[in-house]
Amino acid sequence: MTGLDGRLRSGIKAPWAIRLRDYGRALVDIVLPPASLDGFEGSLGGLSASAFNRITFLEDPVCDGCGQAFEYELASGGGRCIPCQTTPHLFSRARAACVYDEHSRGLILGLKHGDQQAHAKLFARWLSRAADPLILDCDAVVPVPLHPSRLL
């Protein structure tokens, strides 16, 4: 039995309600085409092809401390760069999804300081891909906390 909102009494949406929602979204996309995060139309909330190609993604091998890319694989299979060896961190391993440069800076600062929540899904996909090897053998995933004044 369904209620007025299209949900079955168990809380699961009825198939016809899901289809109706999908048709509604398609109609809205026709009237108001989705824009990419860098301002171009038609990329469904991601980046345009030209902006995506300018992002430099970090691939293994990378430093376990700062995420900086190594030019070659280390013999031990992991490790830290010289600056991270001289000043150790309080954590064991970290990853970055992409290089922070003029191409990624606007997106990152938009999420961090501009409250552009649409960037969160994009970065979540990138970070899950970059951190996949770490997540398999970790005990906890801890977000970097905001400063109390930023939380306010």
Side-chain angles (χ1 to χ4, degrees):
M1 205 138 221
T2 60
L4 296 175
D5 62 352
R7 291 185 181 266
L8 297 172
R9 290 202 187 260
S10 65
I12 301 171
K13 273 200 158 208
W16 62 268
I18 294 171
R19 275 185 261 133
L20 184 64
R21 181 196 63 204
D22 292 341
Y23 289 133
R25 285 184 182 165
L27 181 63
V28 168
D29 286 347
I30 290 171
V31 176
L32 302 168
S36 66
L37 297 175
D38 58 335
F40 294 97
E41 290 185 1
S43 73
L44 299 174
L47 293 177
S48 64
S50 63
F52 185 81
N53 287 331
R54 289 191 303 258
I55 302 290
T56 305
F57 291 97
L58 294 170
E59 300 285 334
D60 281 337
V62 295
C63 172
D64 282 339
C66 64
Q68 185 74 4
F70 289 132
E71 292 187 19
Y72 53 88
E73 185 74 37
L74 298 177
S76 63
R80 293 182 182 242
C81 63
I82 300 298
C84 289
Q85 288 177 8
T86 58
T87 56
H89 301 289
L90 296 176
F91 51 87
S92 59
R93 293 167 38 184
R95 285 293 182 271
C98 62
V99 174
Y100 183 75
D101 59 6
E102 66 272 3
H103 305 298
S104 63
R105 184 175 296 118
L107 293 169
I108 294 169
L109 291 178
L111 175 68
K112 188 174 179 181
H113 299 294
D115 201 28
Q116 296 175 353
Q117 296 300 317
H119 296 165
K121 288 183 182 179
L122 178 70
F123 288 132
R125 287 194 307 264
W126 291 358
L127 287 171
S128 67
R129 182 176 168 267
D132 190 45
L134 299 179
I135 293 172
L136 294 175
D137 54 311
C138 72
D139 296 326
V141 176
V142 181
V144 176
L146 289 174
H147 188 274
S149 65
R150 286 286 300 151
L151 279 173
L152 182 61

